[in-house]
Amino acid sequence: QTCALPICGCHVPMWSDTLIMMGIDRCLRWGYYSRNPMPMEVVQEAIEEAGHTFDEGICRYLSSYKPPCYGFPIIGVSGTGKTCAVENVLKRYPQVVVHEMFRGKPFPETQVVWMKVDCPGDGTPKGLCVAIIKEVDLILGTDYTKQYITARASKDLLTLAVSKILQTIHLGILVIDDFQNLCSAKEAVSSELQSFVVHLVNTIRVPVIMVGTPKILSLLQKEFQLAKRATGEGEVHMDLMKRGDGEWSRFVKAIWHYQYTKTPVELTKAIDKALFEESVGNHFLASILYKLVQDDAIVSGRETFSPQDIRRVD
């Protein structure tokens, strides 16, 4: 029997995970704030029940006020656990909410709280639209793919289709992973996709979170409008950990509980150093390395391991 250690180190919360959690929570709340699907008479009833007067001024204010709708980028080198961290935070929220009644009145609406797609390898708006439509079908079991994705479907047609679909499902937040794929696309194509992202935020008012490597910083700096919309909640940088700081020590102590060798191995300074140096401070790689060295110890029958074993199995 081999080691059953979860290889994803994101089960140990880091400060960056906290920033991601707070950023996503704010984006969801602000994104929904100006998109109340209730008819104005229902809003009026709720306001009056709370003991307030609903006059023409309040009606105009509620109809016209649209607070800023922002997203934010999550930036880090490959293997730092960006995707894992985002998915763990998103799992705090139900992905689909089916509404039936509101205040005793029928209110049949299906709400998709969050959706995550990968940025297309070609970096085109059409590719992203196709990914979004297919993901909606996967989540809700709809047949938008058959309706809109055809050989003759143009970029403009798919853009309109995505706008309509996202408004229909009341999407709360859109996460685009591997956003650095835009860097490999032609400049004109890259600009088109960036404009499409701005359209989602400005017109449909869906906050967009972009996850990628440090390459996306150059994209944000080139397009001021996209940078403004993308960094409204600030940036989250997921860097490699440093040995000796609080996060690395807390992380290693946390994963050390997942030890399955018959002979307990003490977490010494030598082992800590070997684990850090071989994983270069990457918590994801450190988790895998810790699992592999235990697998090796169990399969070989030694049932223990040393700093030399950590360096050997790397």
Side-chain angles (χ1 to χ4, degrees):
Q1 182 178 357
T2 57
C3 170
L5 173 71
I7 65 171
C8 180
C10 290
H11 65 280
V12 182
M14 304 293 174
W15 175 240
S16 56
D17 297 304
T18 303
L19 295 178
I20 292 172
M21 181 189 68
M22 293 190 298
I24 287 179
D25 194 72
R26 287 194 298 266
C27 284
L28 276 172
R29 294 174 187 275
W30 280 106
Y32 276 132
Y33 188 83
S34 61
R35 291 188 287 148
N36 192 339
M38 303 293 177
M40 192 56 69
E41 56 267 21
V42 176
V43 178
Q44 177 179 353
E45 179 182 339
I47 291 177
E48 290 177 344
E49 284 183 3
H52 303 289
T53 302
F54 187 88
D55 54 26
E56 292 184 3
I58 293 180
C59 182
R60 287 195 300 270
Y61 174 78
L62 294 176
S63 300
S64 61
Y65 177 61
K66 293 183 179 181
C69 178
Y70 294 118
F72 65 97
I74 300 172
I75 303 166
V77 297
S78 298
T80 51
K82 302 182 296 295
T83 299
C84 186
V86 171
E87 290 177 347
N88 284 343
V89 172
L90 291 176
K91 288 175 183 176
R92 298 176 62 243
Y93 307 93
Q95 188 169 26
V96 179
V97 179
V98 179
H99 301 272
E100 296 179 355
M101 303 289 291
F102 180 77
R103 293 179 177 269
K105 297 180 181 180
F107 186 68
E109 291 288 344
T110 298
Q111 172 191 2
V112 177
V113 180
W114 57 267
M115 184 166 61
K116 176 182 168 295
V117 298
D118 292 331
C119 183
D122 57 5
T124 62
K126 185 174 181 178
L128 181 59
C129 288
V130 169
I132 291 174
I133 292 173
K134 288 184 176 181
E135 186 65 20
V136 171
D137 283 350
L138 182 64
I139 294 171
L140 298 178
T142 48
D143 61 350
Y144 291 124
T145 299
K146 293 182 179 179
Q147 294 181 42
Y148 297 108
I149 302 178
T150 64
R152 296 183 179 181
S154 65
K155 176 196 68 177
D156 293 336
L157 177 62
L158 288 176
T159 300
L160 290 174
V162 166
S163 300
K164 178 182 178 181
I165 292 170
L166 296 189
Q167 288 175 325
T168 300
I169 66 175
H170 309 288
L171 182 64
I173 198 167
L174 175 65
V175 178
I176 305 178
D177 204 354
D178 292 326
F179 204 77
Q180 72 277 358
N181 286 347
L182 284 187
C183 297
S184 58
K186 295 180 180 179
E187 186 172 351
V189 174
S190 175
S191 297
E192 285 182 351
L193 186 52
Q194 292 176 57
S195 298
F196 176 65
V197 172
V198 173
H199 166 73
L200 290 178
V201 177
N202 287 348
T203 306
I204 311 176
R205 307 194 66 75
V206 174
V208 176
I209 296 177
M210 294 167 289
V211 183
T213 65
K215 289 182 179 180
I216 70 174
L217 285 174
S218 61
L219 295 173
L220 298 178
Q221 292 166 356
K222 286 180 181 179
E223 297 290 338
F224 173 76
Q225 182 73 2
L226 181 62
K228 183 179 71 172
R229 292 300 182 191
T231 59
E233 288 294 334
E235 303 171 4
V236 176
H237 291 264
M238 297 189 68
D239 300 319
L240 297 175
M241 289 183 284
K242 298 178 181 179
R243 185 165 180 257
D245 68 9
E247 284 208 323
W248 171 258
S249 300
R250 184 162 55 87
F251 165 74
V252 176
K253 289 178 181 178
I255 67 171
W256 216 252
H257 292 290
Y258 297 96
Q259 192 171 136
Y260 298 91
T261 53
K262 291 181 179 179
T263 303
V265 179
E266 182 183 355
L267 178 58
T268 63
K269 290 184 178 180
I271 286 181
D272 181 280
K273 181 180 179 181
L275 188 62
F276 178 84
E277 290 178 348
E278 297 304 310
S279 66
V280 294
N282 186 317
H283 66 273
F284 182 75
L285 295 181
S287 295
I288 296 177
L289 183 56
Y290 183 47
K291 175 183 182 299
L292 291 177
V293 74
Q294 290 190 70
D295 283 345
D296 178 72
I298 294 171
V299 171
S300 67
R302 297 190 317 274
E303 294 293 346
T304 188
F305 59 90
S306 65
Q308 289 73 26
D309 293 321
I310 292 176
R311 293 189 168 92
R312 177 176 54 81
V313 301
D314 181 29

